[in-house]
Amino acid sequence: AGGYFVFSKKSEPITQQTPASQNPTPPATQNDNSQTMTTQDKTVSWKTYTNLKYGIEFKYPPSLALTEREITHPTGDSFEVSFRENNSLSFTAVVYLKNPTGDIDQSLNYIKMNYKDAQKTVVNNYPALRYFNSNNVIIFSGQKSYSFGNDVSGEGKPLTAADFNIVVNSASIRN
């Protein structure tokens, strides 16, 4: 499963011109907000994960159960939240207190050694990287980095690409 962004362009209403000799019909309008409305409607029932200590908040589907754990390793401490449906991993969010591979350019070079599709992007005004068919996103903020990974290992139950993008794009970072 890959990820993608969906952008909705708002267009001007389309009106139908009728000659004066015909009975006038009400103007037809076109609404290009259907994707926005669907996303808003879909996330109304979603839960919000908030962790004030690590400065992260994002939405996730209500069917998922979460598990939190702190991780200590040589490259720096981190915090992981795993989201599962029926004990099958869906996605993880990891906060690295000190980005293990340096700044975004160093990280991009490191990640490109294994994932040729890695590219820079922006998520909520923060520099970010997307890779592994858009199933991994790392958001950079100061010394911290926030990594979201959709489980596409074949063993878990990953989110759809659209839902994964909703999770990532709903991320709010508080340093």
Side-chain angles (χ1 to χ4, degrees):
Y4 54 89
F5 284 108
V6 177
F7 294 99
S8 177
K9 181 180 177 189
K10 191 171 188 173
S11 66
E12 295 297 317
I14 299 172
T15 57
Q16 183 177 354
Q17 299 288 333
T18 55
S21 62
Q22 293 182 0
N23 290 334
T25 57
T29 60
Q30 179 178 346
N31 183 354
D32 285 345
N33 291 333
S34 59
Q35 178 64 37
T36 304
M37 292 303 292
T38 302
T39 299
Q40 289 174 347
D41 292 345
K42 183 176 197 169
T43 62
V44 165
S45 65
W46 283 28
K47 296 179 180 179
T48 300
Y49 174 79
T50 303
N51 188 305
L52 297 175
K53 179 178 179 182
Y54 293 103
I56 185 78
E57 179 178 288
F58 53 87
K59 290 181 172 262
Y60 65 96
S63 61
L64 302 180
L66 66 93
T67 305
E68 301 174 308
R69 69 182 180 133
E70 293 196 20
I71 305 167
T72 304
H73 51 77
T75 59
D77 295 342
S78 61
F79 178 78
E80 177 184 270
V81 187
S82 299
F83 293 83
R84 299 176 180 279
E85 186 168 348
N86 299 325
N87 291 322
S88 293
L89 184 64
S90 289
F91 78 96
T92 58
V94 180
V95 178
Y96 294 97
L97 300 182
K98 183 178 181 204
N99 184 13
T101 56
D103 67 16
I104 190 168
D105 291 316
Q106 291 169 322
S107 296
L108 178 61
N109 291 334
Y110 179 78
I111 291 169
K112 276 197 170 216
M113 289 190 291
N114 293 309
Y115 302 99
K116 302 297 182 206
D117 68 336
Q119 61 185 346
K120 287 183 184 180
T121 187
V122 175
V123 175
N124 293 331
N125 298 318
Y126 287 97
L129 296 176
R130 269 191 185 273
Y131 61 100
F132 194 51
N133 296 320
S134 293
N135 286 298
N136 287 312
V137 176
I138 303 173
I139 302 170
F140 295 82
S141 176
Q143 289 292 314
K144 293 180 187 174
S145 59
Y146 301 83
S147 177
F148 292 86
N150 201 13
D151 182 27
V152 291
S153 67
E155 298 173 17
K157 193 170 185 180
L159 296 177
T160 64
D163 284 355
F164 182 69
N165 279 322
I166 291 170
V167 168
V168 170
N169 290 322
S170 72
S172 175
I173 297 171
R174 297 179 178 98
N175 289 323

